Amino acid sequence: LNAAGGLLDRRTGGVTVHNHSKKTAKRLRAQEKQKRNIRIARRKLLGDKDGEPQPRFPALTLLHDPQGLAEDLFRKLRASRDKFKTRLLMMNLLTRLVGHHKLMVLSLYAFLQRYITGHQQEVT
């Protein structure tokens, strides 16, 4: 019996048994497949067997001096006269770096405000 007083079925892993319907073999297989997919997805999300989460951007995680790199990249971005798409890629890398390491790059947001206007087609 469970906490609510209902019967539990050992075959379904503790799912309450409904008195008016029977678990067929097809339903059991589908339920086991769903449980297996949930376990696999959870394992992928949590990482390896030790439970250590996998980094979302492994190269950004392994940087030696992320603050210095962010400042240098921002300096190059401000002086850049490259194409718009190239500057967008640089801004994308810079903002991912700042967000991942929770860095403080002064005047970054004031710089980005120029690119967040109504007439821009592509916004980072």
Side-chain angles (χ1 to χ4, degrees):
L1 294 176
N2 62 6
L7 295 174
L8 293 178
D9 187 1
R10 291 184 185 175
R11 295 178 299 166
T12 61
V15 177
T16 304
V17 174
H18 301 286
N19 294 331
H20 64 277
S21 65
K22 181 182 176 190
K23 294 288 184 192
T24 63
K26 182 177 179 179
R27 287 183 187 166
L28 282 174
R29 283 193 306 267
Q31 192 174 32
E32 292 300 322
K33 186 176 180 181
Q34 287 175 349
K35 286 181 184 180
R36 186 175 58 247
N37 289 341
I38 289 171
R39 274 197 314 270
I40 290 170
R42 190 175 295 147
R43 194 176 308 137
K44 283 182 181 180
L45 183 66
L46 293 178
D48 291 332
K49 294 173 184 150
D50 57 355
E52 177 99 12
Q54 293 291 334
R56 188 170 184 157
F57 309 109
L60 288 180
T61 305
L62 298 174
L63 289 174
H64 176 67
D65 183 20
Q67 180 72 38
L69 177 65
E71 290 172 358
D72 289 342
L73 189 59
F74 183 57
R75 191 177 319 114
K76 288 179 183 178
L77 180 62
R78 290 185 94 168
S80 174
R81 298 288 172 232
D82 294 331
K83 292 181 179 180
F84 182 69
K85 285 207 176 252
T86 307
R87 282 182 284 157
L88 277 180
L89 289 172
M90 289 174 69
M91 282 187 271
N92 191 6
L93 174 62
L94 180 62
T95 54
R96 283 179 188 253
L97 183 64
V98 167
H100 185 74
H101 289 283
K102 297 173 179 55
L103 304 175
M104 291 294 296
V105 179
L106 300 176
S107 70
L108 172 65
Y109 298 104
F111 177 79
L112 290 177
Q113 276 182 336
R114 286 191 278 169
Y115 292 93
I116 303 176
T117 58
H119 66 275
Q120 295 292 340
Q121 290 183 354
E122 297 183 38
V123 179
T124 57

